[in-house]
Amino acid sequence: MSAASPVPKKLRRTQAERSDSMRSRLLEATLQSLAEDGYAASTLSSIVRRAGVSRGAQVHHYPNKQALMLDAAEDLLRRTYRQLGELLLSIGDEDDRLTRLVEAAWDQVFSTPLFHAYTELLVASLRDDNLADALRERLKRVQSVFAPAVEHYFEPNPKLGGTSKADLHALFQQLSCFLVGLATQAHLMKDRAQVQAHLALWARQAGLVMKARKGVRLPPPRPEAWPRKS
């Protein structure tokens, strides 16, 4: 009778891996709590219970609610950037890229329950100057990363000589504001067709001054690193 094969030892995670895992659980629980319960009801105690971690672990990583909320906001903005990048690369038809991008960004990012977490933070920042300042800095970092991607996929429409690269960036900032605003009011609109009409109208208007670059099949150059926190 042959000897039983030895059971391989389970590799222990490093302290850094355990720390990253704990932090990820807290961030995910925070975003879910914001989306489902709102900012006021998302207390540290409720988030700790949802994450299934100890209060000591939460205090070690995030000493207060604001620190946790801000890191969760940054995590959500990173996810949004990655999702939009994947969407841009997946749309192969240059003639329809702008329209499809707007529709896909709405369907896959801005209209999702998870994005409601960000709108909760935005509303809370109206009465919290520290939160507003921190969100402002995080948005600047996101824009600095997204700006090269805009120029990689789109260019000014040569039919309108006054259009510049600065206009491209301004248009995409307008798109972000438009989609965030729509996300806060879509539940008040009578049906999905009304939302779709607004999306199509923005794409048509933007298409007058910008167009997709031809032959873009590779992602934009990857930033060396996510911009540092200020």
Side-chain angles (χ1 to χ4, degrees):
M1 185 172 180
S2 60
S5 301
V7 178
K9 291 183 179 180
K10 189 174 181 180
L11 295 177
R12 290 186 176 181
R13 293 188 300 173
T14 65
Q15 179 60 40
E17 289 172 335
R18 291 194 295 272
S19 181
D20 286 345
S21 176
M22 188 68 68
R23 177 175 167 275
S24 295
R25 289 169 65 179
L26 284 166
L27 293 178
E28 190 66 31
T30 301
L31 291 174
Q32 290 177 358
S33 181
L34 283 168
E36 296 174 13
D37 304 328
Y39 183 83
S42 295
T43 63
L44 287 174
S45 297
S46 68
I47 291 170
V48 165
R49 286 196 301 271
R50 185 185 286 264
V53 303
S54 69
R55 185 62 185 269
Q58 169 257 304
V59 172
H60 174 73
H61 289 281
Y62 300 103
N64 53 53
K65 178 177 177 178
Q66 187 180 68
L68 178 55
M69 290 292 170
L70 292 177
D71 213 11
E74 181 145 348
D75 184 62
L76 181 57
L77 290 171
R78 287 174 185 249
R79 294 189 200 188
T80 301
Y81 169 77
R82 288 195 298 270
Q83 284 179 283
L84 291 176
E86 292 169 0
L87 286 174
L88 281 164
L89 192 59
S90 69
I91 300 172
D93 185 355
E94 292 92 345
D95 293 334
D96 201 30
R97 179 173 284 160
L98 186 57
T99 299
R100 291 180 60 191
L101 170 63
V102 174
E103 293 175 348
W106 172 252
D107 289 336
Q108 299 180 36
V109 179
F110 290 87
S111 68
T112 63
L114 188 58
F115 195 78
H116 293 170
Y118 184 65
T119 61
E120 285 287 333
L121 289 171
L122 284 179
V123 172
S125 72
L126 291 172
R127 293 177 174 81
D128 186 328
D129 290 340
N130 291 329
L131 179 59
D133 288 341
L135 286 179
R136 188 177 298 113
E137 290 304 312
R138 278 155 176 79
L139 277 175
K140 287 180 182 178
R141 292 205 301 279
V142 172
Q143 290 167 359
S144 71
V145 172
F146 195 71
V150 169
E151 294 182 24
H152 181 77
Y153 288 106
F154 295 93
E155 62 184 349
N157 191 329
K159 294 180 181 179
L160 297 175
T163 306
S164 65
K165 289 183 178 180
D167 293 328
L168 291 183
H169 298 301
L171 281 168
F172 273 91
Q173 288 182 19
Q174 289 176 10
L175 174 60
S176 175
C177 293
F178 163 58
L179 291 175
V180 170
L182 194 58
T184 64
Q185 300 181 61
H187 66 289
L188 302 177
M189 296 184 178
K190 58 182 181 181
D191 53 34
R192 179 179 170 80
Q194 188 176 8
V195 172
Q196 292 300 117
H198 284 296
L199 297 173
L201 178 58
W202 188 92
R204 288 199 305 272
Q205 291 173 326
L208 297 174
V209 295
M210 64 164 34
K211 66 174 186 174
R213 291 185 181 277
K214 298 289 186 181
V216 177
R217 296 293 181 269
L218 296 175
R222 188 174 182 177
E224 293 183 5
W226 191 262
R228 293 181 179 274
K229 297 179 182 181
S230 56

